[in-house]
Amino acid sequence: MNKLLKILLWIVGGLAGLCLLVVIGGYAYFATQSSLHHSKLGDAAPTLTDAGHSYRDLNKNGQLDPYEDHRNSIDQRVEDLLGQMTLEEKAGMMFINMILMNETGEVMDIPDPSNPFSFFLEANSSMIAGKQMNHFNVLFAKNGPGLAKWGNTIQGLAERTRLGIPITIASDPRHSYSDNIGAALMTPFFSQWPEPIGLAATRDTNLVREFGDIARREYRAVGIHLALHPMADLATEPRWARINGTFGEDAHLSAEMTKAYVLGMQGDSLTETSVACMTKHFSGGGPQMDGEDAHFPYGREQVYPGDQFDYHLIPFEEGAFPAKTAQIMPYYGIPMGQTSEDVAFAFNKEIITRLLREAYQFDGVICTDWGLVTNSFAGEARAWGVEHLSEIERVEKIIQAGCDQFGGESRPELIIELVESGRISEARIDQSIRRLLRDKFRLGLFDQPYVDVDQVEQLTGTHDYRAAGALAQRKSLVLLKNDTLTETPVLPLESSAKVYLDGFKSEVASKFATVVSTIEEADYVLMRLNAPFQPRNGSLLESFFHQGDLDFKSPEKERILSIVEQKPTIISLYMDRPAVMPEIAAASAGLIVNFGADDEAILDVVFGAFNPTGKLPIEIPSSLQAVELQKEDVPYDSENPLFKFGHGLSYGGEPDTAMLATDE
């Protein structure tokens, strides 16, 4: 027995020693690579004076170059810098990829065991110094000062490159309740607002523009310059996983919201105080076949059984383009039967060049969605329709289609090879570099890329910003049902009521009424629910997407009904997609839809501190069969919907019928 124990101890000790050697070896490797990349950098750019004019000598040549002089026109500055750039520097600029930060604000060059993604994403200095990239999509950030300090740190690295080209830091949405690494990132130190579909429920373009303006201020305070949003897609297919990021299914409403959003972020023109918008997804990513998302192979097809391709262009025609969105992102899907070849949008010259560039005269940056060229930890390359092409052939086709930048990729060597082999001209590359440089200059990054770390906490998540977000949450709530139990509607409840909670926080609800521990003691039940979905067991990314059927399944459905049938129940349903819930809706005494709202906002409506005003930006179907019979590209075409588009009650009044669905 003692001998066996000794053997086991030797084995355990050996494994522990081996793990330690791997850790030490890994650390040494990454540290060596970091040192190698940093060695490629030169000195910081000095601040010099020329004839009384102070400037940053970005190329460190001791003289004032036209691109360093803010008194010159942007076109002059662009052409001067373009003429100094090597092919390698141009190729690096054409890629934007995800990047990680350290909470301390230092470069992220060595993987952090507490963050598994750090083992899959490339080191900061590798992309900046090694591949000469200067556009990045920042991910997780736990505190504002840390994010700002890290942004300054990597701007310092960029300053030490040959030409000192500053970094454009981009971000997915950070102000809503959605925490989806494929679509949005929860950021508690910013103000908290309803999701975009909730903004649409307010029908208030002034509120949306105010949101954009506040988001702009908070982004710029921490050094974020490019918003990878808004989504101008239409929610015409109710099963699609990304409905909460849209402004609903009505094209004209979406156009109004998109325009206000972009104007709030950018202002009337792009300046050093703006956040540039990359509006997505041209030419409309909503009509997914059977609602399956195009991030995944089974969702590669977009279909138009109602012949409504043009309807999905309206949010761009009437919203994004009039607001002068700086950039555009196509989606992953294939617009089946709409062009001469069934290939995904970013590979499709008829969509990018013929339609977007020529018909709409859009001359801003066009950036692909993430991961169209190479396989990654997030899954296979989303080269839908061109899976047979090699990586370099995919890059060639995307450039020839008319795109300027590759999202989620770090492969500048492929562009270099294409140019050096004569397959792509350097003049074509220069077209894209001009657009990318123009936005950097317009955003003021060449003159001042740094932020004041000490001011971040005073400029983000302020009392006024949070109050504006809290009011927007309340305005976005939609009262769908308010039964009359005696002679008056059940809502709003009296503060004397005794309530049993299912999903609400007791510490919040106790501010409004008496909270009891059993249903039998209660006068009412207050219940928070989430719209149902079918979990997928594929990739890690897949687990973040709510897809599949829209109805409540057993045993959850029976659990809900068993409670609702005991006492009058007020349900608040978080609806990132429409829910099929006829029995639950019928049994409830009150039904409120939220699109990202905290308990206090919902209870303010329940107890009458706020009179609900929200209107549905999507319709709620009555059955799964009705969903399956809908056409993916057609708005509000569900047969006998449970609640129509535009429905919404207020206390003491009837629903506003101005936005109700037509019979068309």
Side-chain angles (χ1 to χ4, degrees):
M1 187 67 179
N2 288 338
K3 185 176 181 180
L4 179 60
L5 182 60
K6 288 180 180 179
I7 293 172
L8 288 174
L9 289 173
W10 274 104
I11 292 173
V12 171
L15 289 173
L18 181 61
C19 290
L20 181 62
L21 287 174
V22 169
V23 170
I24 294 172
Y27 182 89
Y29 170 78
F30 288 114
T32 300
Q33 289 298 306
S34 175
S35 178
L36 175 65
H37 294 310
H38 281 264
S39 70
K40 297 177 182 178
L41 299 171
D43 295 330
T47 299
L48 304 179
T49 302
D50 180 271
H53 173 68
S54 179
Y55 69 96
R56 301 172 68 225
D57 185 20
L58 295 170
N59 61 6
K60 282 75 75 176
N61 67 353
Q63 63 186 35
L64 178 60
D65 290 83
Y67 86 91
E68 297 166 342
D69 190 345
H70 71 82
R71 296 170 297 182
N72 290 326
S73 71
I74 287 178
D75 286 344
Q76 286 177 301
R77 300 180 78 178
V78 166
E79 291 305 316
D80 177 62
L81 180 53
L82 182 64
Q84 297 188 43
M85 292 176 71
T86 65
L87 175 60
E88 289 74 17
E89 288 163 338
K90 294 174 185 177
M93 185 172 285
M94 291 181 70
F95 290 85
I96 175 171
N97 208 346
M98 294 175 289
I99 192 169
L100 290 174
M101 60 167 284
N102 277 324
E103 297 303 321
T104 60
E106 305 304 321
V107 293
M108 185 71 155
D109 277 359
I110 298 174
D112 180 356
S114 68
N115 186 345
F117 289 98
S118 65
F119 291 91
F120 299 103
L121 297 178
E122 201 165 348
N124 291 186
S125 64
S126 171
M127 291 188 284
I128 296 169
K131 296 185 175 180
Q132 302 183 70
M133 294 170 59
N134 44 56
H135 293 81
F136 298 105
N137 171 200
V138 66
L139 295 180
F140 315 105
K142 294 181 180 178
N143 67 84
L147 176 55
K149 183 180 178 183
W150 169 83
N152 285 349
T153 300
I154 64 169
Q155 293 289 4
L157 293 185
E159 183 179 303
R160 292 168 54 200
T161 60
R162 190 178 72 89
L163 296 173
I165 298 173
I167 287 169
T168 302
I169 299 177
S171 177
D172 286 303
R174 291 182 175 271
H175 285 81
S176 65
Y177 278 74
S178 176
D179 193 16
N180 178 342
I181 63 170
L185 295 162
M186 188 181 293
T187 306
F189 53 86
F190 283 166
S191 53
Q192 298 293 302
W193 297 68
E195 291 168 359
I197 195 166
L199 295 178
T202 70
R203 300 296 199 271
D204 188 341
T205 55
N206 290 329
L207 180 150
V208 175
R209 184 158 183 171
E210 179 189 27
F211 160 75
D213 183 58
I214 290 173
R216 170 190 67 81
R217 294 169 186 268
E218 292 184 316
Y219 271 19
R220 289 299 301 232
V222 297
I224 296 172
H225 322 107
L226 174 62
L228 303 178
H229 45 97
M231 284 177 61
D233 310 289
L234 297 177
T236 53
E237 166 47 66
R239 290 168 290 185
W240 189 33
R242 301 193 66 178
I243 284 177
N244 60 336
T246 75
F247 295 116
E249 61 185 309
D250 182 87
H252 300 286
L253 174 62
S254 178
E256 291 178 5
M257 297 290 117
T258 298
K259 183 177 181 180
Y261 194 112
V262 174
L263 288 172
M265 282 280 192
Q266 294 188 172
D268 294 326
S269 62
L270 206 63
T271 70
E272 69 277 1
T273 63
S274 301
V275 168
C277 284
M278 186 184 290
T279 304
K280 55 193 185 185
H281 302 87
F282 192 82
S283 55
Q288 296 293 139
M289 188 193 309
D290 298 329
E292 301 288 7
D293 190 76
H295 275 85
F296 314 107
Y298 49 75
R300 63 203 293 271
E301 297 175 331
Q302 287 190 201
V303 292
Y304 302 86
D307 197 26
Q308 292 295 305
F309 179 89
D310 289 348
Y311 186 76
H312 291 259
L313 294 171
I314 292 173
F316 297 93
E317 294 173 340
E318 299 180 2
F321 297 149
K324 301 177 183 177
T325 185
Q327 304 190 12
I328 287 286
M329 180 193 293
Y331 204 39
Y332 296 117
I334 302 170
M336 300 299 296
Q338 303 304 304
T339 58
S340 60
E341 59 173 345
D342 284 334
V343 297
F345 289 110
F347 297 96
N348 197 316
K349 190 169 186 176
E350 291 172 59
I351 295 292
I352 303 301
T353 294
R354 300 286 180 263
L355 183 58
L356 184 51
R357 289 285 190 216
E358 296 176 359
Y360 288 115
Q361 296 291 296
F362 181 75
D363 192 39
V365 171
I366 301 174
C367 179
T368 75
D369 213 326
W370 268 222
L372 270 63
V373 176
T374 58
N375 298 337
S376 71
F377 73 95
E380 65 181 282
R382 298 165 188 92
W384 309 144
V386 296
E387 293 91 342
H388 61 286
L389 296 183
S390 65
E391 291 177 347
I392 195 168
E393 288 171 333
R394 294 171 186 173
V395 170
E396 180 180 18
K397 190 168 180 65
I398 287 170
I399 294 174
Q400 296 288 26
C403 295
D404 301 304
Q405 197 170 44
F406 295 81
E409 302 281 357
S410 306
R411 300 296 302 280
E413 70 275 10
L414 297 177
I415 290 179
I416 295 169
E417 183 178 343
L418 285 169
V419 174
E420 290 181 341
S421 66
R423 292 163 63 179
I424 296 284
S425 71
E426 191 162 357
R428 167 63 190 89
I429 300 303
D430 288 349
Q431 290 177 342
S432 293
I433 299 304
R434 285 187 180 93
R435 296 184 183 110
L436 291 160
L437 285 176
R438 184 174 59 199
D439 280 355
K440 286 183 184 286
F441 279 113
R442 291 198 293 174
L443 290 167
L445 301 184
F446 281 89
D447 305 312
Q448 177 52 281
Y450 300 102
V451 298
D452 187 342
V453 176
D454 293 335
Q455 288 295 308
V456 168
E457 291 182 333
Q458 285 74 49
L459 297 174
T460 60
T462 69
H463 176 271
D464 288 348
Y465 294 172
R466 291 191 181 277
L471 178 59
Q473 289 179 35
R474 287 156 176 78
K475 286 186 173 183
S476 71
L477 297 172
V478 182
L479 177 61
L480 296 182
K481 181 184 179 186
N482 190 8
D483 269 359
T484 300
L485 297 184
T486 55
E487 294 182 355
T488 59
V490 63
L491 295 176
L493 298 184
E494 298 289 340
S495 59
S496 58
K498 292 183 287 185
V499 295
Y500 175 81
L501 306 178
D502 187 300
F504 282 91
K505 296 175 182 176
S506 178
E507 60 269 27
V508 178
S510 61
K511 299 175 185 177
F512 293 83
T514 301
V515 176
V516 296
S517 57
T518 66
I519 295 177
E520 289 73 20
E521 298 174 82
D523 300 316
Y524 303 96
V525 174
L526 303 181
M527 178 181 287
R528 284 199 72 156
L529 298 175
N530 294 324
F533 64 97
Q534 292 179 292
R536 303 292 172 87
N537 298 315
S539 65
L540 173 64
L541 183 63
E542 213 170 350
S543 66
F544 288 90
F545 284 74
H546 291 182
Q547 305 186 86
D549 291 347
L550 301 172
D551 60 329
F552 286 90
K553 307 290 187 184
S554 296
E556 177 64 1
K557 180 179 176 181
E558 286 75 18
R559 184 194 76 83
I560 295 167
L561 289 173
S562 69
I563 294 174
V564 173
E565 290 166 357
Q566 293 183 58
K567 287 290 173 73
T569 301
I570 288 73
I571 295 174
S572 178
L573 175 70
Y574 167 63
M575 203 164 69
D576 56 349
R577 302 186 306 158
V580 172
M581 51 175 182
E583 300 93 342
I584 293 172
S588 67
L591 182 58
I592 300 169
V593 163
N594 78 82
F595 303 98
D598 60 28
D599 281 3
E600 192 158 350
I602 297 167
L603 292 173
D604 266 354
V605 168
V606 170
F607 286 91
F610 189 88
N611 191 359
T613 57
K615 308 298 177 187
L616 280 179
I618 49 179
E619 66 180 6
I620 299 180
S622 57
S623 68
L624 274 181
Q625 182 181 18
V627 171
E628 292 164 355
L629 291 174
Q630 286 187 259
K631 295 177 179 178
E632 287 91 337
D633 58 327
V634 178
Y636 24 78
D637 65 330
S638 177
E639 183 178 356
N640 298 319
L642 189 64
F643 297 102
K644 290 183 177 182
F645 171 89
H647 179 73
L649 303 173
S650 293
Y651 296 146
E654 294 299 316
D656 182 355
T657 59
M659 298 298 292
L660 291 183
T662 68
D663 294 328
E664 297 177 2

